[in-house]
Amino acid sequence: MSRTRLSPPFPDHGRPPGGLPGGAVRAAAETAGVVLAGLGAWAAVAGLGLPHPCLQVSALAAGAGLFTLRRRFPVSVLLVLAALTGLAPCVGPVTAATAYAVARRTVRARRRGRLLVAAAVLVVVCATVSAPWLGPGSVPYGLALGLILTPTTVLVPGLVGTSYGQQRRLVQALRERGDAAERARRFADSEARIHERSRIAAEMHDLVGHRLSLISLHAGGLELALERADPELREEAVLVRRTTRDAMRELRQTLGVLGPLGRDTGPEALTDATGTRADVETLVAESRDGGIAVRLDWTGPDLDARPAPVRRAVHRVVRESLTNVHRYASAAHVTVTVVHDDETVRITVRNGAPPASSVSAGNVGTGRGLTGLRERVELLGGTFDAAPLPSGGFQVDATVPAEPGDAPVPKRPGTADTGPDGGEAVAGGSVAPERRTAQVLTLALGMVTLSVLMALGIAFVYATVPHQEAGARPLPRVGMTYSDVTAAGVLDNKAVRAAATGHEPPRPAGTVGCVYPFNGATETRPGALKIARYCFDASQRLISIDRFTVPSVRDAVPWETP
């Protein structure tokens, strides 16, 4: 018999790294649960005369042993347990748990359906065939027992397992698809940035670098030519050459930001005023001159003593935020807040809801500017958040360490821990305990419900089976005592005695008394009544059983009376 194709095993996140201790405990708990359910079903119907208790317990023990092999041999174990259920109904809970597990892990729908149908047929056939020896006692009652056991042991658990397995496979496929889409988006975003940086670097190198090299070369020649002719003009040539050299150095440092992610321009590419209070006030003043109602709230000392990367990040956050306000909410009120303390620098740019008439449908950005800000802030070990407000406005909130070190990049607020494949992980990669507890409770409740229904069905079948008495009552015979004859249902009837008076044959010799039972009087033909007579001697022993016919009288029907 070929094995049924099963779905790839779902990762058991709750299992420890070794896997064995947790798996052994779980398997033992599952086996103990189904055995207890089987014992409970057997104990519930044991009082109704369930035959062969030893066979029931032995079959349950064999079913528990087979239950542990359901993952390795799913088809064989399910079919054997179905046959055992037909022979011993107490194995039903074990078969139900196995049908659920096999249906949950079987991928092909046709093979799963055939397997469940085959198991159901085995339950009915085995219960019907074994009924005269191991079951209720007759084939119809065995068939009824099999039809009752089939839904609770095979069909319902199989359907539930099918639904649960398809749900898990669908969730896993959707999760993998979402992870793939997220990775594709990240790759596309990164590739777009790299391509754009490469293009800008190439343009700046071709257009600016060549011109600066020519200027430096001509300035050096002019410096040599004026060394003796005009020393004063020579100093101007030296200044031009040095300025050109500095411009080339700054150009190379600026191009450094267009390299791989994670690099910064370095402090040499910055000025001493970048990111200071005066610089931020200048940005705010420029926006105010552009027609935006913007206000600056600065709390704490100036940033002139802070490292250049921190000041550069503050400058970029304020500038990019105000630029976005110019593009999307030029008529809104804006508040720029900078809070500087000993540990962090927090920048918050918040604008109100713009009037509906000022919002243009074509001014929809790509979000790349906010992506660059997030990258720059998180490289310094800070946090960045940009989101719309419930009132209709927008807020950019960035927190940068005042003295950034080699701290790892912090996680973004509101995101869950992710594993290597991008999937959600809780408590070191395990499934949420609340979800696992809910699943266990649901399955346990389902098993209890099926066991109760199973016990009720078995009890119904055994309760309706007619119970035969220990033996048939012996027929009256000569030599029996009067008490034995009356115990057999032979009692004297006055009406029958009156009918026999004057028409009965002579009584046997030694007769002391006779009994004329009503159940012995039969009308054989119209006008003839057959009567039985039981005669006893002085010692109350039956000495004669006589049957004779006496005439019977029938009254005329009223409307036939002349």
Side-chain angles (χ1 to χ4, degrees):
M1 185 178 295
S2 61
R3 295 188 181 182
T4 301
R5 180 185 175 188
L6 302 178
S7 63
F10 298 108
D12 191 357
H13 298 293
R15 189 172 297 178
L20 293 178
V25 172
R26 180 179 178 182
E30 292 175 349
T31 305
V34 296
V35 170
L36 289 177
L39 290 176
W42 175 72
V45 296
L48 297 176
L50 196 65
H52 308 289
C54 295
L55 176 62
Q56 301 286 334
V57 176
S58 301
L60 182 58
L66 291 173
F67 181 74
T68 58
L69 303 176
R70 68 190 183 282
R71 297 184 184 274
R72 297 184 58 186
F73 311 101
V75 176
S76 303
V77 170
L78 179 58
L79 295 180
V80 173
L81 286 176
L84 281 179
T85 302
L87 302 177
C90 65
V91 190
V94 184
T95 306
T98 304
Y100 166 81
V102 174
R104 181 175 64 89
R105 295 172 58 86
T106 304
V107 176
R108 295 183 180 178
R110 291 186 178 180
R111 185 167 296 181
R112 180 174 57 245
R114 293 172 183 174
L115 178 60
L116 294 178
V117 170
V121 171
L122 271 178
V123 172
V124 176
V125 171
C126 292
T128 304
V129 173
S130 63
W133 300 277
L134 305 176
S138 61
V139 171
Y141 286 97
L143 178 62
L145 180 62
L147 293 177
I148 289 178
L149 290 176
T150 298
T152 55
T153 59
V154 177
L155 297 184
V156 173
L159 293 178
V160 174
T162 299
S163 176
Y164 185 71
Q166 290 179 348
Q167 180 185 4
R168 293 199 63 179
R169 287 188 287 271
L170 178 61
V171 170
Q172 185 181 16
L174 292 177
R175 185 174 298 170
E176 292 176 355
R177 183 176 179 180
D179 294 342
E182 179 66 18
R183 288 194 295 268
R185 187 193 64 79
R186 293 177 181 176
F187 291 156
D189 195 10
S190 177
E191 185 178 2
R193 283 197 295 261
I194 293 174
H195 287 174
E196 185 65 18
R197 292 179 179 190
S198 300
R199 184 183 65 82
I200 296 174
E203 291 179 357
M204 294 183 66
H205 181 272
D206 294 340
L207 299 177
V208 182
H210 180 64
R211 298 295 183 183
L212 291 178
S213 298
L214 291 178
I215 293 174
S216 179
L217 179 63
H218 288 295
L222 183 61
E223 179 184 353
L224 294 176
L226 296 176
E227 182 177 1
R228 294 181 181 179
D230 195 343
E232 295 180 359
L233 292 178
R234 177 180 176 277
E235 295 296 331
E236 297 293 335
V238 172
L239 179 61
V240 172
R241 181 175 58 81
R242 290 178 179 177
T243 304
T244 306
R245 183 188 61 189
D246 293 340
M248 288 289 296
R249 186 180 71 253
E250 292 177 357
L251 176 63
R252 287 193 298 270
Q253 293 171 346
T254 303
L255 293 178
V257 78
L258 302 176
L261 299 177
R263 295 176 54 185
D264 206 346
T265 58
E268 297 178 358
L270 308 175
T271 63
D272 295 336
T274 301
T276 60
R277 182 167 184 172
D279 180 49
V280 175
E281 290 177 347
T282 300
L283 294 176
V284 171
E286 291 176 356
S287 297
R288 189 180 295 114
D289 294 339
I292 296 179
V294 56
R295 184 186 66 189
L296 174 62
D297 293 335
W298 187 290
T299 304
D302 201 348
L303 298 177
D304 51 357
R306 294 303 181 185
V310 175
R311 293 186 281 109
R312 183 69 172 176
V314 173
H315 174 87
R316 284 293 307 276
V317 170
V318 175
R319 187 180 67 184
E320 182 67 26
S321 301
L322 293 177
T323 300
N324 289 338
V325 172
H326 277 279
R327 294 182 61 185
Y328 307 117
S330 59
H333 294 276
V334 185
T335 301
V336 179
T337 304
V338 179
V339 179
H340 177 208
D341 54 28
D342 295 337
E343 297 181 355
T344 60
V345 180
R346 182 174 181 179
I347 310 99
T348 303
V349 180
R350 180 173 182 173
N351 63 272
S357 59
S358 64
V359 179
S360 175
N363 291 337
V364 179
T366 61
R368 298 294 173 84
L370 296 179
T371 302
L373 290 182
R374 184 185 301 276
E375 175 188 351
R376 180 179 294 272
V377 171
E378 291 185 350
L379 285 174
L380 296 175
T383 58
F384 182 85
D385 185 28
L389 297 174
S391 59
F394 200 86
Q395 176 174 307
V396 176
D397 190 1
T399 302
V400 183
E403 295 292 337
D406 296 332
V409 178
K411 299 181 179 64
R412 298 178 184 178
T415 58
D417 296 339
T418 55
D421 58 349
E424 183 178 354
V426 180
S430 62
V431 180
E434 296 82 1
R435 182 179 179 184
R436 180 175 295 277
T437 303
Q439 292 177 355
V440 172
L441 292 178
T442 302
L443 294 178
L445 181 60
M447 176 60 66
V448 172
T449 304
L450 285 178
S451 300
V452 171
L453 294 177
M454 198 181 308
L456 292 176
I458 298 172
F460 175 78
V461 172
Y462 275 89
T464 56
V465 174
H467 297 281
Q468 298 180 355
E469 297 180 355
R473 294 180 180 179
L475 296 177
R477 64 181 183 277
V478 177
M480 294 180 64
T481 63
Y482 176 78
S483 58
D484 293 337
V485 173
T486 55
V490 179
L491 300 175
D492 187 58
N493 186 271
K494 295 181 179 181
V496 177
R497 178 185 290 273
T501 302
H503 301 283
E504 60 180 326
R507 295 182 177 183
T511 300
V512 175
C514 296
V515 173
Y516 302 85
F518 179 79
N519 52 9
T522 306
E523 188 175 10
T524 58
R525 63 180 185 276
L529 181 64
K530 191 174 182 179
I531 295 176
R533 183 183 65 183
Y534 297 82
C535 298
F536 297 87
D537 59 6
S539 60
Q540 295 186 357
R541 289 193 175 273
L542 182 63
I543 60 176
S544 174
I545 301 176
D546 303 318
R547 289 179 174 83
F548 51 92
T549 303
V550 299
S552 60
V553 180
R554 296 182 61 189
D555 293 336
V557 181
W559 54 83
E560 294 180 355
T561 304

